[in-house]
Amino acid sequence: MKKIFIADIKNYENQEITLQAWLYNKRSSGKLHFLQLRDGTGEIQAVVFKGNVSEDVFALADKITQESSVEVTGTVKKTDRAKIGFEIDATDVKLICGSEDYPITPKEHGPHFLMEHRHLWLRSLKQKAILRVRHRIIKSIRDFFDNHGFTLVDAPIFTPNACEGSTTLFETDYFDQKAYLSQSGQLYMEAACAAVGKAYCFGPTFRAEKSKTRRHLTEFWMVEPEVAFMDIFEDMDLAEEFVEYIVQQVVEHCRPELETLERDISKLENIKRPFPRISYDEAIEILHKKGNDTPNGEDFGGDEETLISEEFDKPVMIHHYPMSVKAFYFKQAENGKAACVDMIAPEGYGEIIGGGQREEDIDKLMAKIKEQNLNPETFDWYLDLRKYGSVPHAGFGLGIERTVAWLCGLSHVRETIPFPRLMDRLKP
RNA sequence: UCCUCGAUAGCUCAAUGGCAGAGCAUUCGGCUGUUAACCGAAGGGUUGUAGGUUCGAGACCCACUCGAGGAGCCA
């Protein structure tokens, strides 16, 4: 018997085929059993009619439980009643492995219960759709950089010190010294871009901060391009083209998944260049006009980001923040502000990109390191980059999970990564 | 770390300080077209932990544990 995947079912109309799948739900009606099957490539219903199968097979179809793995043989029939357009008229059902008391029933569950069963929750249709969108986002990122002459340069996970000096890092024993889990590959990409011109790294990132919000994980994935001979404005051009590409690739390739997630796709179709660009000072004006009294000179929190993003239906790039609220490595622009940019996603999804132009002058960089009470010795190799043919360069970091949350329309990043690591969750 | 709310059946939730309940899941029975199928029946409880108030506490008070949402910090 021909063994096929559900995704290919349309090629086998009126032919007898065999499917290997899991039973995600079942309904019965006397002499009929409706088996809801999924095999990872799709979902389809198999109809087991008492008159078409042996007594044993009909009894098995009656007893079979949720999430059992099965092998179903039958004829592919076209029907308008099914979403996929076909169903299986079963002639044989074999049990591969049963399933006793599957915990996730076809009913509502709370987030804690679902997170405790994350390894099983992934099987549900919505979670599978999220995994697929995440996959497409990551593929689009790699394709984009590959198509734009970038070289993937992997940054280390073990680092000897904090990259930016401010955030709390995970400390671990490294033989007879301490090592820290990377919070950013950026400094290494600054070294890499002097070798390959356009570099990017893509890997996990760790923050030990006790953040407990819908936008934070302790382990998350970040992609960080860094380009030699690039200024802040070219950096914004790159970020804009990059995000447009990712969003449109997802719209093009993940329509069924977005529909499963009940995402308003028209809002994503609208994400086309140019994106609005406003300065920090203009952002402050918008806030004041809307009754938020954040003083000029202070950084924005989640509330401020949301207020600003409400003014636009595309991601908004806020550039040239005050130097005092940004890390030591940012270049000071002619207007005295930091040559930096944050991209805020629409619909309240918050900051997805942070980046900017780096200080290439060794004296100015050294002054900033001392000003922020950082130890110059730990940055000796980083300062070397400014000693030997230093050039203007810029880059940014994009958080994968926040991007997945935005494109999938999720209220919390914990669903955007297969096995999330949160302040209070290390399992499963 | 701080603020707010919460913890009752496997799950989601009810229960004026006065008999511990429902839906789903499970088991059994019924139904030839179900779409979170439906109909009937059954089993299922140390009400998060430890104190206290009260004739009487799931409910009120105190502490702790765990969870949810938010703040700060950030992506």
Side-chain angles (χ1 to χ4, degrees):
Chain A
M1 196 57 56
K2 179 89 175 166
K3 194 171 90 182
I4 68 157
F5 291 107
I6 294 171
D8 302 323
I9 204 84
K10 61 180 182 298
N11 303 324
Y12 295 91
E13 188 177 348
N14 295 325
Q15 295 180 44
E16 194 166 29
I17 52 90
T18 294
L19 290 176
Q20 293 179 320
W22 291 268
L23 182 86
Y24 70 89
N25 202 0
K26 183 185 73 181
R27 286 178 281 273
S28 297
S29 180
K31 293 173 181 165
L32 284 169
H33 295 303
F34 301 98
L35 309 182
Q36 315 295 323
L37 303 172
R38 56 168 194 89
D39 72 349
T41 73
E43 297 80 42
I44 197 165
Q45 172 171 275
V47 183
V48 183
F49 174 50
K50 197 169 188 176
N52 290 351
V53 296
S54 72
E55 230 169 84
D56 289 349
V57 166
F58 191 76
L60 172 64
D62 186 42
K63 292 288 176 195
I64 199 162
T65 53
Q66 190 192 359
E67 286 304 314
S68 293
S69 48
V70 292
E71 185 173 290
V72 175
T73 299
T75 309
V76 178
K77 294 287 182 191
K78 199 175 170 70
T79 172
D80 293 336
R81 281 187 289 232
K83 194 181 169 191
I84 193 174
F86 296 92
E87 64 182 19
I88 308 292
D89 211 354
T91 53
D92 192 19
V93 178
K94 289 194 181 81
L95 186 67
I96 297 170
C97 180
S99 166
E100 296 252 331
D101 296 323
Y102 187 72
I104 303 177
T105 57
K107 205 64 183 177
E108 288 166 30
H109 300 282
H112 179 249
F113 177 82
L114 289 168
M115 287 307 315
E116 288 288 317
H117 298 88
R118 182 62 175 167
H119 51 298
L120 302 175
W121 188 24
L122 289 175
R123 300 183 182 191
S124 70
L125 300 184
K126 280 196 179 182
Q127 296 307 310
K128 191 191 83 175
I130 294 167
L131 292 180
R132 288 273 158 75
V133 173
R134 181 186 172 98
H135 163 79
R136 178 55 63 172
I137 288 170
I138 291 170
K139 175 174 164 50
S140 303
I141 287 167
R142 295 200 179 280
D143 287 347
F144 179 88
F145 287 129
D146 204 40
N147 295 337
H148 284 73
F150 280 74
T151 301
L152 173 67
V153 181
D154 298 312
I157 303 289
F158 286 127
T159 59
N161 54 268
C163 281
E164 302 179 19
S166 55
T167 50
T168 319
L169 304 184
F170 286 105
E171 187 182 289
T172 180
D173 288 327
Y174 195 79
F175 304 109
D176 56 350
Q177 56 177 317
K178 295 292 181 194
Y180 301 89
L181 300 187
S182 173
Q183 58 147 338
S184 168
Q186 182 205 314
L187 303 194
Y188 296 98
M189 289 308 101
E190 291 189 51
C193 79
V196 299
K198 298 177 180 180
Y200 80 101
C201 64
F202 191 3
T205 301
F206 307 89
R207 304 274 166 99
E209 259 142 11
K210 294 188 173 178
S211 298
K212 196 180 177 307
T213 82
R214 67 179 63 189
R215 301 187 306 279
H216 289 86
L217 298 165
T218 55
E219 177 182 315
F220 65 98
W221 285 67
M222 189 157 66
V223 57
E224 294 171 282
E226 193 75 25
V227 181
F229 305 106
M230 190 164 82
D231 66 21
I232 177 64
F233 300 102
E234 294 165 319
D235 197 25
M236 285 194 264
D237 292 341
L238 179 68
E240 184 180 59
E241 187 181 354
F242 176 60
V243 170
E244 179 194 66
Y245 180 77
I246 295 169
V247 176
Q248 295 312 319
Q249 285 292 301
V250 168
V251 168
E252 184 180 336
H253 296 281
C254 296
R255 196 164 283 269
E257 285 81 7
L258 295 174
E259 282 167 1
T260 296
L261 295 164
E262 296 170 41
R263 184 68 169 97
D264 183 345
I265 299 173
S266 68
K267 285 203 166 71
L268 299 180
E269 287 171 330
N270 183 49
I271 307 301
K272 299 266 176 68
R273 286 177 288 166
F275 295 172
R277 299 182 186 191
I278 61 171
S279 68
Y280 171 87
D281 289 338
E282 288 168 326
I284 286 284
E285 274 180 42
I286 289 173
L287 288 174
H288 289 179
K289 209 178 293 175
K290 300 191 80 169
N292 178 296
D293 55 2
T294 301
N296 193 316
E298 273 190 23
D299 204 359
F300 300 141
D303 290 349
E304 286 75 32
E305 286 176 0
T306 302
L307 282 170
I308 295 163
S309 71
E310 277 171 1
E311 297 292 298
F312 308 96
D313 54 6
K314 293 178 185 178
V316 54
M317 290 190 276
I318 307 174
H319 52 87
H320 292 93
Y321 282 63
M323 287 294 282
S324 60
V325 304
K326 289 291 173 182
F328 73 94
Y329 48 72
F330 281 107
K331 182 181 176 65
Q332 190 160 24
E334 285 175 12
N335 65 2
K337 297 288 175 64
C340 67
V341 58
D342 284 357
M343 188 187 288
I344 314 296
E347 301 175 74
Y349 283 97
E351 183 182 346
I352 51 170
I353 278 182
Q357 190 173 342
R358 323 304 183 186
E359 181 54 70
E360 77 266 24
D361 183 281
I362 191 165
D363 295 328
K364 288 179 184 168
L365 190 59
M366 183 62 97
K368 287 291 290 184
I369 287 173
K370 285 180 178 164
E371 189 184 310
Q372 299 199 6
N373 289 320
L374 301 170
N375 182 1
E377 276 178 36
T378 63
F379 295 102
D380 52 1
W381 67 269
Y382 186 67
L383 290 162
D384 264 3
L385 304 175
R386 277 73 181 170
K387 275 192 210 165
Y388 307 107
S390 190
V391 299
H393 62 289
F396 60 81
L398 173 123
I400 301 306
E401 286 72 22
R402 288 187 184 177
T403 305
V404 177
W406 168 37
L407 299 189
C408 290
L410 304 173
S411 61
H412 200 300
V413 291
R414 67 186 157 212
E415 289 181 50
T416 64
I417 186 166
F419 296 96
R421 292 294 170 255
L422 297 142
M423 198 174 119
D424 301 316
R425 179 162 301 282
L426 195 54
K427 195 186 161 192

